Amino acid sequence: MPRLRHFSGLALAGVVALAPVGGLGSTEAQAQQPGFNLFSVEQDIELGRQSAIAAERELPLLNNRAVDTYLNRVVRRLAQYAPGARYPYEIKAVNASEINAFALPGGPMYVNRGLVEAARNEAELAGVLAHEMAHVALRHGTHQASKVYLTRSGLGILGGLLGKSSGTSRIVNTIGGVGLNAVFLKFSRDDEYEADQVGVDIMAKAGYDPRAMATFFAQLRQEQGRDPSKLEQFFSSHPAPANRENRIRQLAANTGGGARRTQIIGGFATVQSSLARLPEPGTQRVALEEPDQQPVPTGQIAVRVEPASTRFEQFRHPQNFFTIDYPENWEAYSTGLATSLAPQGGVANRSDGQPVMLYGVIINHYAPFEGEETRREQSLQRSYAPFEDRTKPRGTLEDATDDLVRTIQSANPYLRTEVGSAQRLVIDGAAGFTVDLSGPSPATGQEERVKVYTRALSDGHVVYVLGISPATQAAEFDRTFDRMMRTLSINDAAAHRATRVSLQPR
């Protein structure tokens, strides 16, 4: 029987659907594809709770019951139609003149007094709050945190090797802690576009005219030209997608927004009047905390593994995701869909306790590490075959392969793509790619080689397989790895069932 080990600690949640190249269409589709994420929904909520406590030690809260009550009435209405988990959304006003709003993972939301005063009606205010709520629902904050942790932890994360000590606290410490951490609060243009799209849907279902989101963002753009300092922080953490206002209007038209009567909570003018009577806020500005670039622990770990047995046994994934034959003297490590197969000694611990794969095989489902536009832009900058055509967008499999290779190299900058190694092939009857990477491992001091395989699934998703070995043992490893790859059988239907997340709007 295969020896299957389930690592305790944080569950690897980066097993969701790959976004289609053509763009995300519906709110449901977007909510089903939050991207690579090491955190569970429950951990999102706990991170938000801890971050809110830390943030409120620094934020000059307005502490005005009437204002906060009104804001939370708007938030509660919007939250009824937010997709995803039932996060405990709650909002507080900040006594700051800058035009800004932000949300922490798991539901805590904050809006500056300056933004409430700049809005011209309740619908415009609701548009910003719906946008921030969408960041929470789409889990953008912990998606960004997961990417940062991945780049600081190495290949083991891709195979579910998180270790007994790799709980939430270890990950949070690695990315710089809780509170006003820029990792949770700085988004890409892809994130902004998705938050606009989901926010528009939330607004329309809540009874607001979603075109008000477009009018308010247009107003902010004009205000930025007049007084850039008032919006510096907002646009630094919320980079505007191209043609934002036009896109939002088109999205609003698709929802039928504006065709029915707008329903408002009421009391917006009263709140603005009460704010106007309060003393002007001070000039204190609360800056986001940028995480330190922590050095990766290094050490001369010796690779001592027995020769792979010529007797193979079958590994069947617990969720029936795939089967593969592997040497009987290897062990299996599994977390979620991620599986690592390695001989004794093939997985070691770095000096910081993080497991590192030195010799073995990783199999997992591909989830996008970057947003769609970022993947395409960065992918088109590559020039190695078969990705040399930079004049047109690539297909999903090419895009996914390149994104995976880039992410591996970001987490392991010593690895370089071997010239001429990338090629098309067929894996288990489906289209695939392979790319070879190599470089001097800081963990062992030896030349390391990583063979990257990607295989298309019938629903457009991708499975990847990584073969890792010291270059001095590459010939022996290749014989074992080639035999394993010939026996790999992917259950497309099981992969689809396991990766689809039901996030229907409530």
Side-chain angles (χ1 to χ4, degrees):
M1 292 293 292
R3 295 156 299 284
L4 177 61
R5 295 185 178 182
H6 291 272
F7 275 103
S8 61
L10 192 67
L12 181 67
V15 292
V16 291
L18 175 68
V21 169
L24 297 169
S26 68
T27 301
E28 178 186 354
Q30 289 193 47
Q32 287 174 345
Q33 303 179 48
F36 178 74
N37 203 313
L38 294 170
F39 297 85
S40 68
V41 166
E42 292 74 20
Q43 287 163 331
D44 274 21
I45 294 171
E46 179 59 21
L47 277 173
R49 187 189 67 80
Q50 294 182 20
S51 293
I53 292 171
E56 288 176 20
R57 296 191 191 107
E58 302 179 48
L59 292 170
L61 296 178
L62 188 64
N63 290 319
N64 184 298
R65 172 180 275 185
V67 174
D68 284 345
T69 297
Y70 168 76
L71 292 171
N72 277 290
R73 289 178 65 198
V74 176
V75 163
R76 282 194 295 272
R77 174 187 279 185
L78 295 171
Q80 294 179 60
Y81 305 97
R86 293 182 177 273
Y87 289 113
Y89 294 103
E90 183 180 12
I91 190 167
K92 294 181 180 180
V94 178
N95 193 25
S97 60
E98 290 80 24
I99 298 174
N100 197 15
F102 64 91
L104 294 165
M109 299 172 65
Y110 299 88
V111 61
N112 282 5
R113 169 182 170 179
L115 190 146
V116 179
E117 293 175 323
R120 290 168 291 194
N121 51 58
E122 183 177 299
E124 287 192 343
L125 174 63
V128 176
L129 301 186
H131 173 95
E132 296 303 324
M133 188 175 289
H135 281 306
V136 176
L138 293 167
R139 310 186 65 216
H140 284 155
T142 46
H143 169 54
Q144 296 289 347
S146 297
K147 289 192 298 182
V148 171
Y149 185 70
L150 172 64
T151 62
R152 297 181 180 186
S153 301
L155 288 171
I157 296 300
L158 296 177
L161 297 179
L162 294 167
K164 294 181 179 180
S165 61
S166 293
T168 310
S169 59
R170 173 178 290 278
I171 294 181
V172 170
N173 289 338
T174 300
I175 63 175
V178 297
L180 296 172
N181 189 334
V183 171
F184 298 137
L185 298 170
K186 282 195 172 182
F187 304 115
S188 68
R189 284 184 170 81
D190 284 294
D191 293 338
E192 286 297 288
Y193 175 53
E194 291 173 8
D196 287 347
Q197 191 167 359
V198 172
V200 161
D201 193 76
I202 292 172
M203 287 185 72
K205 289 175 178 175
Y208 292 107
D209 183 349
R211 294 174 298 183
M213 183 188 289
T215 62
F216 190 60
F217 278 130
Q219 181 187 351
L220 294 189
R221 187 163 44 80
Q222 294 171 1
E223 182 65 29
Q224 184 184 28
R226 292 190 293 267
D227 188 357
S229 64
K230 290 191 70 174
L231 285 144
E232 179 181 355
Q233 193 170 72
F234 182 84
F235 282 115
S236 68
S237 59
H238 297 73
N243 303 315
R244 181 175 222 162
E245 292 86 30
N246 289 337
R247 278 184 172 184
I248 292 173
R249 290 189 181 94
Q250 183 59 52
L251 291 168
N254 292 340
T255 68
R260 57 184 176 274
R261 182 180 177 186
T262 299
Q263 302 172 19
I264 63 172
I265 295 292
F268 175 77
T270 302
V271 166
Q272 282 198 323
S273 296
S274 66
L275 290 175
R277 291 193 297 269
L278 294 176
E280 288 292 324
T283 57
Q284 176 189 6
R285 302 189 66 185
V286 180
L288 299 183
E289 298 171 3
E290 297 286 347
D292 295 330
Q293 290 292 333
Q294 300 177 354
V296 175
T298 59
Q300 300 304 309
I301 302 174
V303 183
R304 297 187 179 93
V305 298
E306 293 181 0
S309 173
T310 57
R311 296 183 59 183
F312 276 38
E313 58 188 33
Q314 187 182 78
F315 173 80
R316 180 177 295 276
H317 188 271
Q319 298 180 35
N320 202 30
F321 175 31
F322 66 89
T323 60
I324 191 171
D325 293 352
Y326 72 111
E328 66 174 6
N329 61 340
W330 284 23
E331 293 184 330
Y333 308 84
S334 184
T335 306
L337 290 187
T339 298
S340 296
L341 303 161
Q344 190 78 27
V347 178
N349 287 327
R350 296 190 322 202
S351 58
D352 64 347
Q354 178 65 48
V356 57
M357 173 75 84
L358 304 174
Y359 192 111
V361 174
I362 288 172
I363 307 172
N364 203 351
H365 182 277
Y366 168 80
F369 301 101
E370 300 290 351
E372 181 186 347
E373 289 188 14
T374 303
R375 290 201 311 274
R376 181 178 296 125
E377 289 172 3
Q378 295 188 1
S379 183
L380 291 173
Q381 296 172 17
R382 307 287 284 201
S383 59
Y384 59 83
F387 311 113
E388 68 278 1
D389 186 354
R390 293 182 286 175
T391 62
K392 59 183 180 182
R394 301 188 177 94
T396 299
L397 184 58
E398 293 96 323
D399 198 25
T401 302
D402 187 76
D403 183 48
L404 178 63
V405 169
R406 249 186 301 107
T407 301
I408 291 172
Q409 291 179 318
S410 175
N412 306 270
Y414 62 92
L415 291 173
R416 297 288 180 268
T417 306
E418 293 186 5
V419 177
S421 68
Q423 56 183 297
R424 301 176 186 272
L425 71 166
V426 174
I427 301 174
D428 185 29
F433 285 109
T434 180
V435 181
D436 289 348
L437 310 176
S438 61
S441 167
T444 65
Q446 299 181 38
E447 188 77 4
E448 180 176 84
R449 194 188 61 175
V450 178
K451 293 182 71 68
V452 179
Y453 286 81
T454 56
R455 187 262 198 194
L457 293 172
S458 58
D459 58 5
H461 303 176
V462 176
V463 172
Y464 61 81
V465 182
L466 310 180
I468 305 162
S469 69
T472 55
Q473 297 173 262
E476 174 190 347
F477 177 81
D478 280 350
R479 288 191 293 271
T480 301
F481 189 43
D482 288 347
R483 181 175 171 184
M484 292 175 67
M485 288 297 296
R486 287 196 298 271
T487 69
L488 177 65
S489 177
I490 306 293
N491 184 340
D492 287 36
H496 182 76
R497 286 197 304 271
T499 56
R500 182 164 295 280
V501 182
S502 179
L503 296 178
Q504 296 279 358
R506 295 190 299 273

